[in-house]
């Protein structure tokens, strides 16, 4: 049903009206395959005579009473239930039937194709709690929630609190601590369960029955990480985990990476590895686990008052997640992965037309809030926190956090509250720092200006800082400067960059090479190299022992290509030369992805085949030299598959049949689908082969991959079918639609898919029946990224001139900016 998004002004007024809020929620999951029923009892106090509203988005409203009196029919409209003439003490009871979704919004219902078992879970997101209950859906109206769930007696049900099955199929959960509505969840179905405990905290892991073997295999690592992270957070924060048990449920078709529901964290179950993975994926899973656990303090215990302080949740959780992975796991290169992965995402987001401050002064409504779940709120905010720690010191930073938790536990807080605690702990006024770093958008660029002495030493070194014309803020940066000394050892000094020009007198007279700004990666700024370092970059990468320093050089090169300062072919050639000898698989995988992006979008069309061939050659070299069964071998195989050409079809066919497979390489289900997808792009897969592979892999992942592989085929009917799945068909899984979009566009199929470019821009903005979040998701998944032309840009700009949902507009603006950059890069080549 249609509904109005909540504005900040409405939220402020409602928070001033509603007090002493308590929820009781009774959910019945036994009423059919399409609908479920819930009864919400809402108790609160208010000034007599006041008026407010609840949010609810049911399929059918069966009844609603206020203080025992049935509310009139016209009290309910646009997803809101008007409550007039309130008493001092109020009780609202709302009975309704709600629709299950397949889009991970509200209550998601999934039937596992592997065994036909059914699973459901609640995902309130930031606006979808009204899809399963009546509530005041805003973060500063926290309340205890008492939950009851009626389900199939064979099912297991888990939720925020520790529940019991009172009678067969009837689960009762005691009242939670005060939580925001976006943190309410339940997970129900024939889940398999593994349990453990640590330091008095019960631990649980959950997955669907068809993933039982995978869960059993991955559980020791996940439990070990969970325990190590709990210990470290207790040590850092001085405050124990506050929500009793700690369950982690891996659920199907989850729309986000994970969600920090207190007591019952939910993850997408792709994070259970059913196939071989590299250390990059294991590191990232660890970072997600640590990120969600950090939210137990940042967001769950202390909650932002409104969505303008989203960074208080996501920036802190991202920072703590990567920090803990570096400190207490087998992957100390965590910040390397952040630097060349997540941080690159932040740089891209901050340079788009949709850029915004980390902590904006105003977020007008929940649609605007949704749009800010981006690389700025996560990656740039994380980097700003690294800079803050460099600025005030780690001891003061942690002391400020502890004071913040102590003061605001179980309540809400703002940026001003946190800055006050950090300022007091550090003895430094942080208002100016916050204004520069948190309240202003866009990114600075730092360049070394070097004068060379006749003997080859640095006569002078100056750090030049610039900003965009539209956002001219020059920020303070505490950074490291690294270089190779005469003895070949890597050396570092530190400097505080302020204003447009900062001399570095300590480098005068030093004989060095490969000067690297921001060594240690403690700030968020675009870094440029001097021309000598650029010319020597292949040898600098080979000699550099620090993976983080290598990541910074790669980021600098990538950003220079995005800004059309370097030709994209230079990045591709550098990657092809350097990656076969790169010792860190995290960099291999991350940089190969950037180089393939450049080869298929930023290199001029007539040189793209050669660029892909160069990357394929590098992958073959790495495959030939990598240790059998290693992450490098798997990364090389994946890279080779992604760039394979017609001449490689026999090799790919051999891998499918088991012939000439490199020793140690396991051609499992994931790799088989990747091979089939590439063969499909090359026009060498039949429908019968796809059907046969689907019989081998009966999982939902197999269904999704079959859709993607079919969409990859250079066949007009296959492209039409994929387009329909993304644009016109309603009701299918979010994963299926995204898979179709992923396969639709291929750089080799530009002529075949040309007619769909105009149709995409004309039809997608008019797709009905989908939420703004899903429209944005599909807009990104199906954007014609390889149609890099003036015609595509004109079509995009024409579409943006029309009316559309604000979240869809944001997605199209972002993707179109990437398209424009690719076009400029091609012209500059």
């Amino acid at each position: 049903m249609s509904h109005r998004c909540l504005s900040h002004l409405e939220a402020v007024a409602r928070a001033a009206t509603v007090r002493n809020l308590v929820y009781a929620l009774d959910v019945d999951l036994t009423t059919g395959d399409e609908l479920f029923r819930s009864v919400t009892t809402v108790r609160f106090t208010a000034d007599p005579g006041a008026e407010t509203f609840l949010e609810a988005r049911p399929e059918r409203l069966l009844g609603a009473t206020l203080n025992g009196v049935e509310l009139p029919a016209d009290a309910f409209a646009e997803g809101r239930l008007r409550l007039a003439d309130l008493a001092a003490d109020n009780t609202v009871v709302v009975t309704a039937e709600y629709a299950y979704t397949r889009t991970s919004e509200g209550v998601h219902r999934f039937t596992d194709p592997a065994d036909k078992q059914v699973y459901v879970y609640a995902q309130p997101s930031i606006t979808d709690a009204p899809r399963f209950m009546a509530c005041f859906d805003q973060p500063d109206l926290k309340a205890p929630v008492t939950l009851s769930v009626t389900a199939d007696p064979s099912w297991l049900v888990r939720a925020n609190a520790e529940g019991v099955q009172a009678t067969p199929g009837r689960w009762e959960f005691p009242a939670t601590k005060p939580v925001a509505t976006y943190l309410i969840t339940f997970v129900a179905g024939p889940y398999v369960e593994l349990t453990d405990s640590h330091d008095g905290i019960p631990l649980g892991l959950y997955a669907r029955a068809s993933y039982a073997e995978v869960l059993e295999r991955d559980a020791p690592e996940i439990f070990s990480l969970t325990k190590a992270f709990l210990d470290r957070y207790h040590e850092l924060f001085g405050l124990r985990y506050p929500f009793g048990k700690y369950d982690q449920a891996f659920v199907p078709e989850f729309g986000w990476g994970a969600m920090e529901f207190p007591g019952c964290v939910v993850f997408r179950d792709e994070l259970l590895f059913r196939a071989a993975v590299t250390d990059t994926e294991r590191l990232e899973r660890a970072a997600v686990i640590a990120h969600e656990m950090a939210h137990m303090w940042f967001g769950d215990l202390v909650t932002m008052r409104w969505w303008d302080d989203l960074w208080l949740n996501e920036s802190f959780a991202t920072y703590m997640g990567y920090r803990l992975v570096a400190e207490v796991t087998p992957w100390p290169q965590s910040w390397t992965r952040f630097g060349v992965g997540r941080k690159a995402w932040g740089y891209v987001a901050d340079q788009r037309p949709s850029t915004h401050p980390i902590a904006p002064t105003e977020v007008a409504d929940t649609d605007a809030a949704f749009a800010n779940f981006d690389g700025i709120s996560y990656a740039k905010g994380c980097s700003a926190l690294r800079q803050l720690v460099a600025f005030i010191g780690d001891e003061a930073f942690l002391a400020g956090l502890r004071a913040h938790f102590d003061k605001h536990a179980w309540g809400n807080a703002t940026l001003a509250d946190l800055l006050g605690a950090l300022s007091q702990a550090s003895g430094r006024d942080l208002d100016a720092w916050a204004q520069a770093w948190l309240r202003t958008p866009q990114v600075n660029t730092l360049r070394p200006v070097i004068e060379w002495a006749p003997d080859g030493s640095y006569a002078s070194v100056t750090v030049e800082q610039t900003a965009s014309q539209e956002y001219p803020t020059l920020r303070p940066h505490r950074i490291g400067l690294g270089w190779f000394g005469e003895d070949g050892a890597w050396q570092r000094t530190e400097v505080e960059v302020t204003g447009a020009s900062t001399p570095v007198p300590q480098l005068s007279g030093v004989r060095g090479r490969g000067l690297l700004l921001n060594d240690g990666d403690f700030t968020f700024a675009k870094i440029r190299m001097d021309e000598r370092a650029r010319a020597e970059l292949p040898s600098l990468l080979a000699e550099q022992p620090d993976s983080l320093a290598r990541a910074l050089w790669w980021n600098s090169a990538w950003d220079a290509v995005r800004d059309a300062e370097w030709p994209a072919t230079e990045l591709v050639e550098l990657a092809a030369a350097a990656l076969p000898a790169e010792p860190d698989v995290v960099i291999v995988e991350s940089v190969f992805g950037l180089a393939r992006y450049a080869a298929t979008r930023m290199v001029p069309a007539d040189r793209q085949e050669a660029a892909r061939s160069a990357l394929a050659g590098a992958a073959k070299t790495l495959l030939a030299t990598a240790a059998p069964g290693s992450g490098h071998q798997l990364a090389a195989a994946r890279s080779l598959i992604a760039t394979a050409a017609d001449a490689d079809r026999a090799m790919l066919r051999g891998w499918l049949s088991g012939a000439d497979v490199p020793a140690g390489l396991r051609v499992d289900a994931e790799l088989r689908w990747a091979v089939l997808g590439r063969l499909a792009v090359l026009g060498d897969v039949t429908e019968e082969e796809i059907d046969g592979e689907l019989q081998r892999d009966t999982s939902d992942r197999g269904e999704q991959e079959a859709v993607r592989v079919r969409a990859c085929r250079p066949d007009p009917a296959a492209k039409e079918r994929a387009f329909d799945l993304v644009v016109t068909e309603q009701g299918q899984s979010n994963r299926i639609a995204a898979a179709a979009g992923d396969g639709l566009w291929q750089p080799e199929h530009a002529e075949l898919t040309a007619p769909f470019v105009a149709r995409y821009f004309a039809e997608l903005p008019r797709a009905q029946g989908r939420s703004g979040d899903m429209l944005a998701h599909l807009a990104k998944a199906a954007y014609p990224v390889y149609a890099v032309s003036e015609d595509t840009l004109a079509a995009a700009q024409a579409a943006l001139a029309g009316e559309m949902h604000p979240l869809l507009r944001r997605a199209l603006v972002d993707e179109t900016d990437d398209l424009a950059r690719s076009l400029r890069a091609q012209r500059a080549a």
Side-chain angles (χ1 to χ4, degrees):
M1 66 172 295
S2 64
H3 67 283
R4 290 166 55 191
C5 70
L6 181 69
S7 74
H8 186 204
L9 291 176
E10 290 173 321
V12 170
R14 191 163 62 176
T17 300
V18 175
R19 299 183 292 274
N20 302 313
L21 177 63
V22 176
Y23 291 110
L25 176 61
D26 192 333
V27 180
D28 188 347
L29 302 175
T30 64
T31 58
D33 295 346
E34 303 296 326
L35 302 175
F36 64 96
R37 182 174 297 185
S38 81
V39 179
T40 314
T41 302
V42 188
R43 294 183 172 88
F44 62 98
T45 62
D47 294 333
E51 180 175 321
T52 190
F53 62 91
L54 284 163
E55 289 134 301
R57 302 207 300 275
E59 287 295 298
R60 284 195 293 269
L61 182 65
L62 302 178
T65 62
L66 170 60
N67 298 327
V69 178
E70 193 75 27
L71 290 169
D74 63 1
F76 182 62
E78 296 185 291
R80 295 181 174 190
L81 187 64
R82 183 168 52 88
L83 306 175
D85 194 22
L86 294 171
D89 296 295
N90 301 277
T91 300
V92 182
V93 180
V94 179
T95 304
E97 290 182 330
Y98 297 83
Y100 291 111
T101 75
R102 291 296 307 280
T103 58
S104 194
E105 298 169 304
V107 175
H108 185 96
R109 190 177 194 274
F110 169 81
T111 301
D112 192 340
D115 56 14
K116 308 308 177 186
Q117 300 268 39
V118 174
Y119 299 86
V120 302
Y121 58 83
Q123 161 57 320
S125 182
I126 71 170
T127 62
D128 286 330
R131 286 177 179 251
F132 58 84
M133 65 184 293
C135 59
F136 300 117
D137 197 21
Q138 61 189 73
D140 59 342
L141 286 176
K142 298 172 71 170
V145 182
T146 303
L147 174 68
S148 302
V149 177
T150 302
D152 183 318
S154 67
W155 285 9
L156 175 151
V157 181
R158 292 292 181 267
N160 303 102
E162 182 71 73
V164 296
Q165 188 171 196
T167 59
R170 180 66 176 178
W171 293 78
E172 303 286 351
F173 299 87
T176 66
K177 295 288 189 178
V179 295
T181 47
Y182 77 90
L183 296 172
I184 300 169
T185 196
F186 54 84
V187 174
Y191 285 89
V192 294
E193 175 185 44
L194 297 177
T195 61
D196 201 342
S197 65
H198 181 67
D199 194 17
I201 301 169
L203 307 177
L205 298 178
Y206 302 87
R208 50 182 144 140
S210 63
Y211 270 53
E213 183 178 343
V214 181
L215 181 67
E216 187 80 32
R217 186 189 65 230
D218 283 7
E221 180 174 298
I222 296 171
F223 275 135
S224 176
L225 291 169
T226 301
K227 296 171 184 179
F229 294 152
L230 282 168
D231 288 344
R232 185 61 173 149
Y233 280 133
H234 290 163
E235 179 184 357
L236 293 175
F237 297 158
L239 181 67
R240 283 181 56 81
Y241 168 70
F243 293 101
K245 69 182 178 69
Y246 197 78
D247 289 338
Q248 296 175 96
F250 295 82
V251 303
E253 298 182 334
F254 198 62
W256 297 357
M259 184 62 197
E260 65 268 21
F261 303 117
C264 188
V265 179
V266 169
F267 301 82
R268 59 168 54 208
D269 62 10
E270 285 89 345
L271 290 172
L272 293 177
F273 301 137
R274 69 176 197 148
V277 295
T278 66
D279 271 0
T280 309
E281 289 150 296
R282 294 174 67 204
L283 184 161
E284 282 291 357
R285 178 171 70 182
V288 173
I289 292 170
H291 176 115
E292 302 309 325
M293 189 182 291
H295 275 307
M296 300 300 117
W297 290 265
F298 292 104
D300 296 4
L301 176 67
V302 180
T303 308
M304 61 198 162
R305 186 166 296 166
W306 179 245
W307 299 105
D308 51 356
D309 279 325
L310 172 65
W311 82 286
L312 291 173
N313 279 15
E314 300 305 343
S315 300
F316 276 88
T318 302
Y319 169 77
M320 297 308 304
Y322 282 98
R323 173 175 173 159
L324 261 68
V325 171
E327 291 178 349
V328 300
T329 79
W331 305 290
Q333 72 273 44
S334 173
W335 287 117
T336 297
R337 172 58 180 172
F338 173 79
V340 79
R342 299 288 278 185
K343 194 176 184 185
W345 173 45
Y347 284 132
V348 168
D350 204 27
Q351 296 175 78
R352 284 171 165 160
S354 60
T355 186
H356 59 85
I358 295 171
T361 55
E362 180 182 5
V363 172
D365 55 36
T366 49
D367 281 344
F370 244 126
N372 286 350
F373 280 78
D374 60 12
I376 296 170
S377 296
Y378 286 76
K380 182 183 180 182
C382 169
S383 297
L385 289 173
R386 295 199 82 196
Q387 180 61 193
L388 177 62
V389 172
F391 187 59
I392 68 172
D394 197 50
E395 184 176 339
F397 176 71
L398 293 172
L401 295 187
R402 293 181 191 123
H404 183 69
F405 295 145
D406 288 344
K407 184 174 181 179
H408 299 286
W410 308 115
N412 297 85
T414 65
L415 169 62
D417 295 322
L418 179 64
L419 288 180
L422 293 171
S423 294
Q424 185 171 357
S426 65
R428 305 185 71 161
D429 185 349
L430 295 178
D431 286 345
W433 182 92
Q435 180 61 35
W437 274 101
L438 305 179
R439 294 300 199 192
T440 60
Q442 260 282 358
V443 59
N444 299 124
T445 301
L446 303 181
R447 301 174 187 270
V449 178
I450 302 174
E451 292 185 7
W452 300 91
D455 65 355
S457 65
Y458 299 126
S460 69
V461 175
T462 302
V463 179
E464 178 186 89
Q465 178 177 196
T466 57
S468 68
Q469 290 184 348
E470 190 175 2
Y471 301 104
T473 300
L474 297 180
R475 298 177 178 86
H477 304 266
R478 183 181 292 247
I479 63 170
L481 276 72
W483 69 94
F484 282 112
E486 289 186 90
D487 60 356
W490 187 247
Q491 301 179 41
R492 179 195 287 182
T493 188
E494 291 192 357
V495 63
E496 289 202 18
V497 174
T498 57
S501 182
T502 302
V504 189
Q506 60 265 45
L507 287 182
S508 296
V510 171
R511 294 179 64 89
R513 54 190 288 267
L515 184 65
L516 174 63
L517 304 189
N518 196 30
D519 188 31
D521 201 19
F522 293 119
T523 197
F524 186 84
K526 301 200 298 180
I527 302 302
R528 292 294 186 259
M529 303 174 216
D530 66 274
E531 286 304 312
R532 290 193 187 184
R534 177 180 175 181
E536 292 183 283
L537 193 51
S539 60
L540 293 174
L541 288 166
E543 296 169 39
Q544 177 57 254
D546 181 9
S547 68
L548 181 54
R550 298 196 301 274
L552 288 165
W553 273 322
W554 282 115
N555 253 354
S556 178
W558 164 244
D559 191 75
V561 170
R562 288 193 78 251
D563 284 351
E565 294 179 13
W566 289 19
T569 49
E570 184 173 350
L571 177 70
V572 172
E573 290 165 2
L574 181 65
L579 291 183
E582 169 56 50
D584 195 326
V585 70
V586 164
I587 291 182
V588 171
E589 293 188 285
S590 301
V591 173
F592 191 91
L594 297 178
R596 184 169 179 267
Y597 183 110
T600 55
R601 305 190 198 185
M602 294 174 156
V603 170
D606 61 350
R607 284 181 257 169
Q608 287 185 9
E609 184 175 350
R612 290 195 297 271
S613 177
L615 293 177
K620 289 175 183 176
T621 300
L622 180 57
L623 187 63
T625 57
S630 66
H632 275 73
Q633 183 188 54
L634 180 56
R638 290 170 173 172
S639 301
L640 177 54
I641 292 167
T643 51
D646 280 331
D648 302 310
R649 286 193 289 174
M651 175 197 70
L652 296 180
R653 284 270 167 213
W655 287 9
L656 287 177
S657 65
D660 299 321
V661 177
L665 182 66
R666 182 158 58 94
V667 185
D668 52 32
E670 296 292 332
L671 214 58
R672 290 183 64 84
W673 281 117
V675 169
L676 279 174
R678 189 59 190 164
L679 288 172
V681 170
L682 299 173
D684 192 23
V685 166
T686 66
E687 285 286 342
E688 291 72 23
E689 282 183 282
I690 299 171
D691 289 340
E693 194 64 31
L694 193 52
Q695 291 177 6
R696 291 172 58 108
D697 181 6
T698 59
S699 70
D700 58 311
R701 177 71 172 170
E703 288 187 339
Q704 295 158 25
E705 284 296 306
V707 168
R708 184 185 67 83
V709 172
R710 288 192 171 97
C712 284
R713 297 178 64 210
D715 175 71
K719 299 301 185 185
E720 186 73 42
R721 176 59 182 150
F723 188 84
D724 287 344
L725 280 172
V726 178
V727 175
T728 60
E729 289 196 14
Q730 306 294 317
Q732 78 272 1
S733 158
N734 53 336
R735 290 285 200 281
I736 293 295
D742 186 50
L744 172 59
W745 308 103
Q746 300 294 332
E748 296 88 349
H749 300 166
E751 184 175 346
L752 176 63
T753 54
F756 291 98
V757 175
R759 286 184 59 188
Y760 168 87
F761 291 110
E763 297 178 36
L764 184 60
R766 293 171 175 77
Q768 300 299 313
R770 285 169 169 156
S771 69
D773 190 40
M774 271 303 294
L775 282 175
H777 177 67
L778 295 178
K780 293 176 182 179
Y783 195 91
V785 293
Y786 303 118
V788 180
S789 70
E790 290 286 357
D791 288 344
T792 307
L793 188 59
Q797 291 168 342
L800 286 166
E803 294 294 323
M804 65 182 71
H805 193 285
L807 290 178
L808 175 60
R809 179 177 300 281
R810 167 68 182 271
L812 290 179
V813 164
D814 289 351
E815 295 298 320
T816 301
D817 183 61
D818 288 351
L819 172 71
R821 284 180 174 272
S822 293
L823 194 56
R824 289 195 295 271
Q826 289 193 10
R827 288 175 182 155

